[in-house]
Amino acid sequence: MADVVQFKLERMLPELDDLEKRGLFSRQEIAEIVKQRRKFEYRLKRPSPLKQDFVAYIDYEKSLDSLRLLRKKAQMKTTGDRKLKKSVSDYAGVSRIIEIYRLATTRFKGDIELWFQYLEFCRERRNGRMKKALAQVIRFHPKVPGVWIYAAAWEFDNNLNAAAARALMHSGLRACPTSEDLWVEYLRMELTYLNKLKARKVVLGEDEGTLARSGKSAKEEQWRDENKELFIVLDDKREEDKLSNLHDGDSKEKLDLFREQGLSVLQTVYGGSIKALPSSFSLRTKFLDILEATDLGHSEDMRNEILADMKRDFSKEPKYWDWLARQELIDLNNPETTEAMTADQLSRAIQVYEEGLKIVPSASMFDCYAKFLMDVIRFKNKGSQSSELFSTASHVMDPISHLLVVYEKAETMGCITEDLACQHVSFLLQLGKVDEAKTLAEKLCSGKFSEAVQLWALRFSIEMRFIQKNCTPNKAALSSIFEPLRSVLLKLPILEAETIWLMALKYFSTHKKFFDKLVETSISLLAKNGGSDDGFSLSTTIVNFVLQRDGLGSARELYKRFLALPHPGLSLYRNCIELELNLASSGDKISLVNARKLFETALTTYDQDVRFWQDYYNMEIKMGTSETAAAVHWRARKTLKKSISLLPSLDM
């Protein structure tokens, strides 16, 4: 290994001598370069070199070459010699980086990110290795669409070889027929090629216009007419009216020819992509976007054909109707949009959603409909100008009232979900209709969503707000909400009802009678289902509430009741131990005894928990004696068998 490394370093001598001779690096700097390269070369010669070794070597060489270029430019500026002859040091750095990339990709053939870094470096430096590297990455990764797109783009943009780019795209589509990006980029490439041919004709004066939709402003057209002498006139006989008309007719025919060719390309690619990806909705939308951005012959007919195919294939999917409706408001953010025009767009969009509901009467469809109207309302309230956007519209077209109708319609048709129900109640609250929101929440919670956690949490917050607003909290008012809430808590699993439990404990913590009932409810649930080892722990939460409200004595009594239940949970043990240790740290010996009892009780169930043994050992180290710490350590090593290495040594 040392001989190979030394041989490579010796081959660098001409380059290093040239760097010193030209004054770009001093002898000390060159010695440091040799030292660093030797270190990297030894890393690469290990039995199993890492990817980081290759990347670090490449980064170092790139930085070194950048420094060489900066110093060379500074030297040329100082001497005034702008045409300094290139030497071996100008090529050696890039060649070495290419070689390291080659070794890295040979070692890690499956790393596509490394391959693309290799290709990007070759492209930036215009290195001749690019073609070979592309062939290799295609051979190793024929199923990666990005590889084919990159190779075709290089042939098309850098080599100006449209035929080779087209051949690569065809090969890529055969290898990856289900890639949306590959179909879209192939269409873009073909249309770009046609546009370039068209632009070439325009430059030669044989044609006019392009395939791209780009409306020139009136000022640009006026400037061009006023400065005709700046443009080369290739037709000296345009002054004759007859020949001029003939020339205009020919140009129009040529433009139509290019537009027809573009349409033919789009139809061909579209047909092939639909056969390969019949269920891809996003692919159709991308084709429509390309069609909108390109001036093609009979583009409106083609657009209608694509829309008809989409309706045929996706009319049963809510995302199609949502997309179709939003197309009506595509220019909503345009500052030139008038009020009447926007109201008309909204009306058409609502008609699309209504048609979709007739075909797809589902919860997803109503969800899309409601989100759309919420977006419209946000736009309406965004600024002072847009706040009056729908003022001239009829009541039916008012998005706020219409959204309420949509929510009611979803409930009537049986398509309402918990999410939609929460949206409906929240929207009423935003409008300031607290009474209506309260009535609706009660109705929904007593019916289909009797066990919906989010809706119950929303209803509970409304009830509390309503009680505080209209009267001082009294026993009757609190009982009216507490009893149904308690019945729900008894039905739902503790982990699912975490939000409701936290809200109830926080609100009723100041009402002892109701809080005690919540504690009894929690004890009955924990006795039935057990506590939690991690995550939300109801018993821990209640103990903390009692500790803050009534002090340590009440908290101890309560956690003893919880610990007496079957499987109280590791979280409760940890919380109680922490509570006792906080007092023990201030010199309370009883708390230290209680903490030891809690550890011992917990270890009867969780004797294989390494972290728990570590906590016990650390407590004895800090607050106990060396004998008690050693005893805990010995017991842990004896109990844990396979996890002995995870314990700290006794010498800590």
Side-chain angles (χ1 to χ4, degrees):
M1 182 171 70
D3 294 339
V4 176
V5 172
Q6 187 62 28
F7 175 72
K8 284 193 171 185
L9 292 173
E10 288 175 358
R11 291 185 63 184
M12 300 175 190
L13 281 174
E15 173 201 353
L16 298 174
D17 288 340
D18 186 59
L19 290 173
E20 184 181 6
K21 181 180 178 182
R22 299 177 70 174
L24 297 175
F25 291 94
S26 64
R27 183 173 289 274
Q28 290 79 8
E29 289 174 328
I30 290 175
E32 182 63 27
I33 292 171
V34 172
K35 180 181 176 182
Q36 291 294 327
R37 285 179 175 173
R38 178 181 283 109
K39 181 182 70 174
F40 284 121
E41 290 292 344
Y42 271 113
R43 285 184 183 178
L44 299 190
K45 290 302 175 184
R46 292 189 296 182
S48 298
L50 303 175
K51 177 187 172 182
Q52 290 81 355
D53 297 334
F54 291 98
V55 173
Y57 197 0
I58 290 168
D59 291 340
Y60 174 76
E61 289 294 338
K62 285 181 177 179
S63 301
L64 186 64
D65 196 56
S66 299
L67 180 60
R68 181 192 64 80
L69 286 172
L70 286 173
R71 291 185 176 182
K72 182 181 176 182
K73 289 179 180 179
Q75 192 180 70
M76 291 169 61
K77 188 179 291 186
T78 303
T79 58
D81 187 3
R82 296 189 176 182
K83 294 184 179 180
L84 193 63
K85 186 178 179 180
K86 291 188 176 182
S87 60
V88 63
S89 61
D90 293 307
Y91 306 102
V94 175
S95 299
R96 184 174 298 103
I97 295 171
I98 294 291
E99 180 63 17
I100 300 169
Y101 268 125
R102 186 189 68 79
L103 293 173
T105 51
T106 302
R107 177 78 183 178
F108 303 99
K109 297 182 180 68
D111 195 323
I112 192 66
E113 182 183 355
L114 189 61
W115 275 106
F116 275 115
Q117 291 176 9
Y118 183 16
L119 295 173
E120 273 297 297
F121 182 78
C122 292
R123 185 185 64 81
E124 290 172 0
R125 298 305 178 98
R126 301 178 182 273
N127 193 273
R129 190 90 180 180
M130 180 71 169
K131 195 167 186 179
K132 189 173 182 180
L134 278 173
Q136 288 177 327
V137 71
I138 287 174
R139 180 158 58 93
F140 290 125
H141 298 280
K143 295 297 183 181
V144 179
V147 169
W148 296 101
I149 294 172
Y150 191 96
W154 181 74
E155 288 287 357
F156 189 81
D157 296 329
N158 293 72
N159 293 348
L160 305 179
N161 191 342
R166 186 179 292 111
L168 283 167
M169 279 294 191
H170 287 169
S171 300
L173 288 172
R174 285 193 291 272
C176 312
T178 57
S179 170
E180 289 186 21
D181 293 336
L182 206 54
W183 283 105
V184 171
E185 292 304 322
Y186 175 51
L187 177 59
R188 290 185 192 278
M189 187 196 74
E190 291 290 0
L191 293 178
T192 303
Y193 179 61
L194 274 177
N195 200 39
K196 284 187 174 183
L197 291 179
K198 177 66 181 171
R200 180 176 178 273
K201 293 279 188 181
V202 172
V203 170
L204 294 175
E206 299 177 4
D207 209 340
E208 59 184 15
T210 62
L211 295 180
R213 295 184 191 271
S214 58
K216 290 185 178 180
S217 64
K219 292 183 178 179
E220 290 179 358
E221 295 290 349
Q222 182 180 357
W223 180 86
R224 190 179 181 92
D225 293 337
E226 293 175 354
N227 297 274
K228 291 181 179 179
E229 66 277 2
L230 298 178
F231 299 93
I232 300 175
V233 181
L234 300 178
D235 188 359
D236 294 334
K237 298 182 179 180
R238 284 190 303 172
E239 296 141 359
E240 301 179 14
D241 296 336
K242 187 174 181 180
L243 290 178
S244 178
N245 293 335
L246 182 62
H247 176 73
D248 292 342
D250 291 341
S251 296
K252 187 175 181 180
E253 289 179 3
K254 291 175 182 176
L255 179 60
D256 289 342
L257 178 62
F258 275 102
R259 292 172 63 194
E260 291 293 338
Q261 288 177 339
L263 180 65
S264 177
V265 168
L266 192 145
Q267 287 175 331
T268 303
V269 177
Y270 172 73
S273 65
I274 295 309
K275 290 180 181 177
L277 294 163
S279 60
S280 176
F281 178 77
S282 58
L283 181 64
R284 318 275 181 110
T285 60
K286 290 175 182 178
F287 274 110
L288 279 174
D289 292 339
I290 293 174
L291 185 62
E292 291 292 334
T294 314
D295 185 16
L296 301 177
H298 306 290
S299 59
E300 191 63 30
D301 295 339
M302 187 64 198
R303 183 177 185 275
N304 292 334
E305 179 184 345
I306 296 175
L307 289 174
D309 291 344
M310 292 173 72
K311 187 172 184 178
R312 180 196 64 206
D313 297 336
F314 303 104
S315 60
K316 298 294 183 181
E317 298 185 20
K319 62 181 179 180
Y320 162 72
W321 296 101
D322 186 46
W323 172 85
L324 189 63
R326 289 178 182 273
Q327 292 300 301
E328 300 293 343
L329 296 180
I330 198 167
D331 293 325
L332 193 60
N333 295 323
N334 190 343
E336 298 180 359
T337 303
T338 62
E339 292 183 9
M341 181 179 181
T342 304
D344 187 53
Q345 288 176 341
L346 179 61
S347 176
R348 292 199 301 269
I350 288 175
Q351 289 177 6
V352 172
Y353 278 114
E354 292 295 336
E355 182 182 355
L357 283 174
K358 294 177 182 177
I359 300 174
V360 193
S362 65
S364 300
M365 190 70 222
F366 276 105
D367 188 51
C368 293
Y369 198 174
K371 287 179 179 178
F372 166 77
L373 290 172
M374 287 298 296
D375 291 341
V376 173
I377 293 169
R378 289 191 197 99
F379 173 80
K380 175 184 176 183
N381 298 327
K382 189 167 58 176
S384 58
Q385 180 179 357
S386 56
S387 64
E388 300 176 356
L389 201 60
F390 302 98
S391 58
T392 58
S394 63
H395 179 72
V396 177
M397 292 301 105
D398 176 26
I400 294 177
S401 59
H402 200 81
L403 179 56
L404 294 173
V405 172
V406 169
Y407 284 133
E408 293 171 2
K409 190 173 182 180
E411 184 181 356
T412 304
M413 295 177 65
C415 297
I416 193 168
T417 60
E418 182 181 355
D419 188 39
L420 277 173
C422 291
Q423 289 180 29
H424 191 184
V425 175
S426 300
F427 188 63
L428 288 173
L429 290 175
Q430 291 177 13
L431 296 177
K433 301 179 179 180
V434 181
D435 293 338
E436 292 184 26
K438 178 176 176 293
T439 305
L440 178 63
E442 290 177 1
K443 175 185 173 184
L444 293 171
C445 288
S446 60
K448 181 179 179 181
F449 302 104
S450 59
E451 297 182 7
V453 176
Q454 294 180 1
L455 195 58
W456 267 103
L458 189 59
R459 180 192 171 183
F460 184 64
S461 64
I462 295 172
E463 293 284 357
M464 294 303 100
R465 186 189 307 180
F466 189 80
I467 291 173
Q468 292 174 353
K469 180 181 178 181
N470 295 317
C471 61
T472 56
N474 53 47
K475 184 178 178 180
L478 293 174
S479 297
S480 65
I481 182 60
F482 179 81
E483 291 305 327
L485 185 67
R486 182 173 175 271
S487 63
V488 170
L489 291 175
L490 287 170
K491 294 179 183 177
L492 295 174
I494 293 174
L495 289 178
E496 292 182 12
E498 176 183 353
T499 305
I500 304 177
W501 272 108
L502 291 174
M503 293 176 65
L505 290 170
K506 183 177 179 180
Y507 185 80
F508 289 110
S509 61
T510 56
H511 304 279
K512 191 174 185 307
K513 179 181 178 181
F514 294 105
F515 188 84
D516 291 343
K517 288 184 178 181
L518 282 175
V519 172
E520 296 301 325
T521 303
S522 67
I523 290 174
S524 63
L525 285 173
L526 291 170
K528 180 180 179 182
N529 303 318
S532 172
D533 291 337
D534 52 11
F536 174 68
S537 172
L538 178 59
S539 54
T540 299
T541 305
I542 294 176
V543 168
N544 290 335
F545 268 104
V546 172
L547 178 65
Q548 293 177 4
R549 191 189 68 174
D550 301 328
L552 179 62
S554 300
R556 273 182 181 158
E557 291 179 6
L558 184 60
Y559 82 60
K560 287 178 182 178
R561 291 184 64 188
F562 282 127
L563 290 176
L565 298 174
H567 191 74
L570 187 59
S571 296
L572 178 61
Y573 280 111
R574 289 188 181 279
N575 185 73
C576 296
I577 290 169
E578 183 181 357
L579 185 152
E580 296 292 353
L581 288 180
N582 288 335
L583 290 173
S585 61
S586 61
D588 189 348
K589 294 182 179 180
I590 298 177
S591 296
L592 182 59
V593 174
N594 290 336
R596 286 196 178 105
K597 289 181 180 178
L598 289 168
F599 269 116
E600 293 296 337
T601 306
L603 286 172
T604 58
T605 306
Y606 304 101
D607 60 337
Q608 295 300 315
D609 191 299
V610 179
R611 185 184 165 195
F612 202 69
W613 278 107
Q614 288 175 343
D615 292 341
Y616 194 5
Y617 176 72
N618 290 333
M619 183 200 74
E620 294 294 350
I621 287 288
K622 293 178 181 178
M623 301 181 183
T625 63
S626 58
E627 290 81 5
T628 55
V632 170
H633 190 273
W634 179 83
R635 287 175 57 199
R637 291 178 64 85
K638 184 179 178 180
T639 306
L640 289 172
K641 297 178 183 177
K642 295 183 180 180
S643 303
I644 290 176
S645 60
L646 298 177
L647 277 172
S649 64
L650 193 59
D651 300 330
M652 286 181 60

